[in-house]
Short mmCIF file of all heavy atoms in Angstrom, two decimals:
data_model
loop_
_atom_site.label_atom_id
_atom_site.label_comp_id
_atom_site.label_asym_id
_atom_site.label_seq_id
_atom_site.Cartn_x
_atom_site.Cartn_y
_atom_site.Cartn_z
N PHE J 497 1.54 1.73 7.97
CA PHE J 497 0.92 1.41 6.65
C PHE J 497 1.69 2.09 5.48
O PHE J 497 1.42 1.83 4.37
CB PHE J 497 -0.49 1.82 6.63
CG PHE J 497 -1.33 1.18 7.75
CD1 PHE J 497 -1.99 1.90 8.69
CD2 PHE J 497 -1.43 -0.17 7.93
CE1 PHE J 497 -2.75 1.40 9.75
CE2 PHE J 497 -2.10 -0.81 8.88
CZ PHE J 497 -2.80 0.01 9.75
N ARG J 498 2.61 3.02 5.93
CA ARG J 498 3.36 3.79 4.83
C ARG J 498 4.75 4.10 5.48
O ARG J 498 4.80 4.81 6.51
CB ARG J 498 2.55 5.09 4.51
CG ARG J 498 3.36 6.00 3.56
CD ARG J 498 3.44 5.55 2.15
NE ARG J 498 4.05 6.54 1.24
CZ ARG J 498 4.44 6.32 -0.02
NH1 ARG J 498 4.38 5.19 -0.58
NH2 ARG J 498 4.92 7.31 -0.67
N VAL J 499 5.74 3.67 4.76
CA VAL J 499 7.11 3.94 5.33
C VAL J 499 7.94 4.35 4.19
O VAL J 499 7.94 3.80 3.04
CB VAL J 499 7.72 2.67 5.97
CG1 VAL J 499 9.21 2.75 6.34
CG2 VAL J 499 6.93 2.14 7.14
N VAL J 500 8.68 5.51 4.35
CA VAL J 500 9.48 6.03 3.09
C VAL J 500 11.01 6.17 3.61
O VAL J 500 11.20 6.41 4.79
CB VAL J 500 8.96 7.34 2.62
CG1 VAL J 500 7.43 7.07 2.14
CG2 VAL J 500 8.83 8.32 3.80
N GLN J 501 11.83 6.21 2.64
CA GLN J 501 13.25 6.32 2.86
C GLN J 501 13.73 7.82 2.42
O GLN J 501 13.40 8.25 1.32
CB GLN J 501 14.06 5.35 2.09
CG GLN J 501 15.52 5.40 2.53
CD GLN J 501 16.32 4.19 1.77
OE1 GLN J 501 15.83 3.77 0.64
NE2 GLN J 501 17.54 3.81 2.31
N ASP J 502 14.51 8.43 3.33
CA ASP J 502 15.00 9.78 2.89
C ASP J 502 16.15 9.61 1.82
O ASP J 502 16.93 8.76 2.07
CB ASP J 502 15.61 10.42 4.18
CG ASP J 502 16.06 11.81 3.88
OD1 ASP J 502 17.12 12.02 3.27
OD2 ASP J 502 15.35 12.76 4.32
N PRO J 503 16.05 10.28 0.65
CA PRO J 503 16.98 10.04 -0.33
C PRO J 503 18.41 10.41 0.04
O PRO J 503 19.37 9.93 -0.56
CB PRO J 503 16.47 10.87 -1.49
CG PRO J 503 15.57 11.93 -0.77
CD PRO J 503 14.96 11.19 0.39
N ASP J 504 18.56 11.21 0.96
CA ASP J 504 19.86 11.79 1.38
C ASP J 504 20.47 10.98 2.53
O ASP J 504 21.63 10.47 2.38
CB ASP J 504 19.81 13.27 1.77
CG ASP J 504 19.37 14.10 0.61
OD1 ASP J 504 19.88 13.82 -0.56
OD2 ASP J 504 18.55 15.07 0.79
N THR J 505 19.71 10.81 3.64
CA THR J 505 20.23 10.08 4.83
C THR J 505 20.11 8.69 4.83
O THR J 505 20.72 7.87 5.52
CB THR J 505 19.45 10.65 6.11
OG1 THR J 505 18.09 10.27 6.07
CG2 THR J 505 19.57 12.19 6.24
N LYS J 506 19.17 8.08 3.77
CA LYS J 506 18.84 6.79 3.66
C LYS J 506 18.07 6.20 4.81
O LYS J 506 17.82 5.01 4.86
CB LYS J 506 20.10 5.99 3.31
CG LYS J 506 20.92 6.50 2.15
CD LYS J 506 20.08 6.60 0.87
CE LYS J 506 20.99 7.04 -0.28
NZ LYS J 506 20.16 7.27 -1.52
N LEU J 507 17.69 7.07 5.78
CA LEU J 507 16.97 6.55 7.04
C LEU J 507 15.42 6.43 6.58
O LEU J 507 14.90 7.14 5.80
CB LEU J 507 17.14 7.50 8.11
CG LEU J 507 18.55 7.56 8.64
CD1 LEU J 507 18.51 8.56 9.90
CD2 LEU J 507 19.01 6.30 9.12
N PHE J 508 14.84 5.58 7.19
CA PHE J 508 13.29 5.28 7.01
C PHE J 508 12.51 5.93 8.07
O PHE J 508 12.90 6.04 9.23
CB PHE J 508 13.08 3.88 6.97
CG PHE J 508 13.49 3.07 5.73
CD1 PHE J 508 14.90 2.59 5.53
CD2 PHE J 508 12.64 2.81 4.71
CE1 PHE J 508 15.24 2.05 4.33
CE2 PHE J 508 13.08 2.25 3.45
CZ PHE J 508 14.34 1.81 3.38
N SER J 509 11.39 6.45 7.68
CA SER J 509 10.42 6.99 8.57
C SER J 509 8.99 6.54 8.28
O SER J 509 8.80 6.27 7.08
CB SER J 509 10.44 8.55 8.64
OG SER J 509 11.69 8.98 9.07
N ALA J 510 8.12 6.53 9.18
CA ALA J 510 6.68 6.36 8.89
C ALA J 510 6.14 7.66 8.28
O ALA J 510 6.73 8.73 8.49
CB ALA J 510 5.95 5.94 10.12
N GLN J 511 5.01 7.50 7.61
CA GLN J 511 4.45 8.67 7.05
C GLN J 511 2.92 8.69 7.21
O GLN J 511 2.23 7.67 7.23
CB GLN J 511 4.66 8.67 5.49
CG GLN J 511 4.21 10.08 4.87
CD GLN J 511 4.69 10.08 3.38
OE1 GLN J 511 4.99 9.09 2.68
NE2 GLN J 511 5.01 11.36 2.91
N VAL J 512 2.41 9.87 7.78
CA VAL J 512 1.03 10.04 7.97
C VAL J 512 0.32 9.84 6.64
O VAL J 512 0.62 10.45 5.65
CB VAL J 512 0.65 11.45 8.62
CG1 VAL J 512 -0.79 11.58 8.71
CG2 VAL J 512 1.45 11.66 9.90
N TRP J 513 -0.69 8.84 6.58
CA TRP J 513 -1.24 8.51 5.26
C TRP J 513 -2.73 8.09 5.38
O TRP J 513 -2.97 7.34 6.22
CB TRP J 513 -0.47 7.46 4.57
CG TRP J 513 -0.59 7.39 3.12
CD1 TRP J 513 -1.49 6.50 2.39
CD2 TRP J 513 0.18 8.01 2.11
NE1 TRP J 513 -1.29 6.79 1.02
CE2 TRP J 513 -0.26 7.68 0.95
CE3 TRP J 513 1.23 9.01 2.22
CZ2 TRP J 513 0.22 8.30 -0.29
CZ3 TRP J 513 1.67 9.57 1.08
CH2 TRP J 513 1.15 9.19 -0.23
N ASP J 514 -3.50 8.81 4.68
CA ASP J 514 -4.94 8.32 4.49
C ASP J 514 -4.87 6.98 3.51
O ASP J 514 -4.80 7.31 2.38
CB ASP J 514 -5.83 9.39 4.02
CG ASP J 514 -6.53 10.15 4.93
OD1 ASP J 514 -7.06 9.45 5.95
OD2 ASP J 514 -6.74 11.31 4.91
N MET J 515 -5.06 5.89 4.22
CA MET J 515 -5.03 4.73 3.34
C MET J 515 -6.23 4.70 2.34
O MET J 515 -7.24 5.20 2.58
CB MET J 515 -5.04 3.42 4.19
CG MET J 515 -3.79 3.19 4.88
SD MET J 515 -2.42 2.80 3.85
CE MET J 515 -2.98 1.19 3.15
N PRO J 516 -5.88 4.18 1.15
CA PRO J 516 -6.89 4.06 0.10
C PRO J 516 -8.08 3.20 0.58
O PRO J 516 -7.99 2.30 1.46
CB PRO J 516 -6.20 3.46 -1.04
CG PRO J 516 -5.09 2.70 -0.50
CD PRO J 516 -4.69 3.47 0.63
N SER J 517 -9.24 3.48 0.03
CA SER J 517 -10.47 2.72 0.45
C SER J 517 -10.33 1.25 0.02
O SER J 517 -9.78 0.89 -0.95
CB SER J 517 -11.66 3.35 -0.14
OG SER J 517 -12.86 2.45 -0.08
N ASP J 518 -10.82 0.42 0.82
CA ASP J 518 -10.85 -1.07 0.50
C ASP J 518 -12.03 -1.50 -0.36
O ASP J 518 -12.40 -2.57 -0.48
CB ASP J 518 -10.77 -2.01 1.76
CG ASP J 518 -11.85 -1.87 2.78
OD1 ASP J 518 -12.78 -1.06 2.42
OD2 ASP J 518 -11.92 -2.59 3.74
N LYS J 519 -12.79 -0.39 -0.85
CA LYS J 519 -13.98 -0.65 -1.60
C LYS J 519 -13.63 -0.85 -3.10
O LYS J 519 -14.42 -0.56 -3.98
CB LYS J 519 -14.97 0.55 -1.47
CG LYS J 519 -15.37 0.84 -0.07
CD LYS J 519 -16.05 -0.31 0.68
CE LYS J 519 -16.53 0.04 2.02
NZ LYS J 519 -17.12 -1.10 2.76
N HIS J 520 -12.43 -1.40 -3.39
CA HIS J 520 -12.17 -1.66 -4.73
C HIS J 520 -12.98 -2.84 -5.27
O HIS J 520 -13.51 -3.67 -4.63
CB HIS J 520 -10.59 -2.04 -4.86
CG HIS J 520 -10.08 -2.94 -3.78
ND1 HIS J 520 -10.46 -4.27 -3.70
CD2 HIS J 520 -9.37 -2.70 -2.73
CE1 HIS J 520 -9.96 -4.80 -2.58
NE2 HIS J 520 -9.19 -3.83 -2.06
N PRO J 521 -13.00 -3.03 -6.56
CA PRO J 521 -13.84 -4.06 -7.14
C PRO J 521 -13.42 -5.38 -6.66
O PRO J 521 -12.19 -5.73 -6.69
CB PRO J 521 -13.54 -3.90 -8.66
CG PRO J 521 -13.13 -2.51 -8.82
CD PRO J 521 -12.32 -2.22 -7.65
N LYS J 522 -14.33 -6.21 -6.16
CA LYS J 522 -13.98 -7.51 -5.75
C LYS J 522 -13.81 -8.52 -6.79
O LYS J 522 -14.49 -8.60 -7.75
CB LYS J 522 -15.06 -8.06 -4.68
CG LYS J 522 -15.28 -7.23 -3.47
CD LYS J 522 -14.00 -7.33 -2.55
CE LYS J 522 -14.15 -6.50 -1.34
NZ LYS J 522 -12.86 -6.43 -0.54
N PHE J 523 -12.74 -9.32 -6.72
CA PHE J 523 -12.40 -10.34 -7.64
C PHE J 523 -12.70 -11.67 -7.06
O PHE J 523 -12.23 -12.00 -5.93
CB PHE J 523 -10.93 -10.23 -8.03
CG PHE J 523 -10.49 -11.24 -9.08
CD1 PHE J 523 -10.84 -11.06 -10.40
CD2 PHE J 523 -9.72 -12.37 -8.80
CE1 PHE J 523 -10.56 -11.98 -11.42
CE2 PHE J 523 -9.29 -13.22 -9.76
CZ PHE J 523 -9.77 -13.01 -11.12
N LYS J 524 -13.70 -12.39 -7.59
CA LYS J 524 -14.18 -13.61 -7.00
C LYS J 524 -13.13 -14.77 -7.16
O LYS J 524 -13.30 -15.82 -6.42
CB LYS J 524 -15.42 -14.10 -7.74
CG LYS J 524 -16.67 -13.12 -7.41
CD LYS J 524 -17.94 -13.59 -8.10
CE LYS J 524 -18.98 -12.54 -7.87
NZ LYS J 524 -20.33 -13.06 -8.47
N GLY J 525 -12.10 -14.60 -8.00
CA GLY J 525 -11.13 -15.60 -7.96
C GLY J 525 -11.32 -16.50 -9.33
O GLY J 525 -12.32 -16.29 -10.01
N LEU J 526 -10.26 -17.16 -9.69
CA LEU J 526 -10.43 -18.00 -10.92
C LEU J 526 -11.44 -19.13 -10.72
O LEU J 526 -11.67 -19.55 -9.48
CB LEU J 526 -9.00 -18.60 -11.22
CG LEU J 526 -7.93 -17.63 -11.36
CD1 LEU J 526 -6.65 -18.34 -11.50
CD2 LEU J 526 -8.19 -16.70 -12.54
N LYS J 527 -12.06 -19.68 -11.65
CA LYS J 527 -12.94 -20.76 -11.53
C LYS J 527 -12.25 -22.01 -10.87
O LYS J 527 -11.19 -22.28 -11.23
CB LYS J 527 -13.56 -21.10 -12.93
CG LYS J 527 -14.57 -20.05 -13.40
CD LYS J 527 -15.19 -20.48 -14.78
CE LYS J 527 -16.18 -19.38 -15.33
NZ LYS J 527 -16.76 -19.78 -16.61
N ALA J 528 -12.96 -22.67 -10.09
CA ALA J 528 -12.33 -23.85 -9.37
C ALA J 528 -11.97 -24.84 -10.50
O ALA J 528 -12.48 -25.13 -11.47
CB ALA J 528 -13.47 -24.48 -8.61
N GLY J 529 -10.63 -25.34 -10.29
CA GLY J 529 -10.15 -26.32 -11.19
C GLY J 529 -9.35 -25.76 -12.31
O GLY J 529 -8.80 -26.38 -13.13
N THR J 530 -9.41 -24.39 -12.49
CA THR J 530 -8.66 -23.70 -13.43
C THR J 530 -7.17 -23.88 -13.33
O THR J 530 -6.62 -23.56 -12.21
CB THR J 530 -8.93 -22.17 -13.58
OG1 THR J 530 -10.38 -21.97 -13.77
CG2 THR J 530 -8.19 -21.51 -14.73
#
């Protein structure tokens, strides 16, 4: 869920990460036909 690149070696690694909550405000979407 999180991958970063070393600025010196340019190699990528995974990173231990507490993912953000998915309790963000829900967007119902645009009105039908918009």
Side-chain angles (χ1 to χ4, degrees):
F497 304 119
R498 172 75 170 165
V499 176
V500 296
Q501 186 177 26
D502 186 288
D504 298 320
T505 67
K506 306 303 180 184
L507 297 177
F508 286 81
S509 299
Q511 190 170 27
V512 179
W513 202 265
D514 258 323
M515 284 296 290
S517 167
D518 62 359
K519 303 300 182 184
H520 43 70
K522 293 297 181 184
F523 184 70
K524 294 182 180 179
L526 304 175
K527 291 183 179 179
T530 301

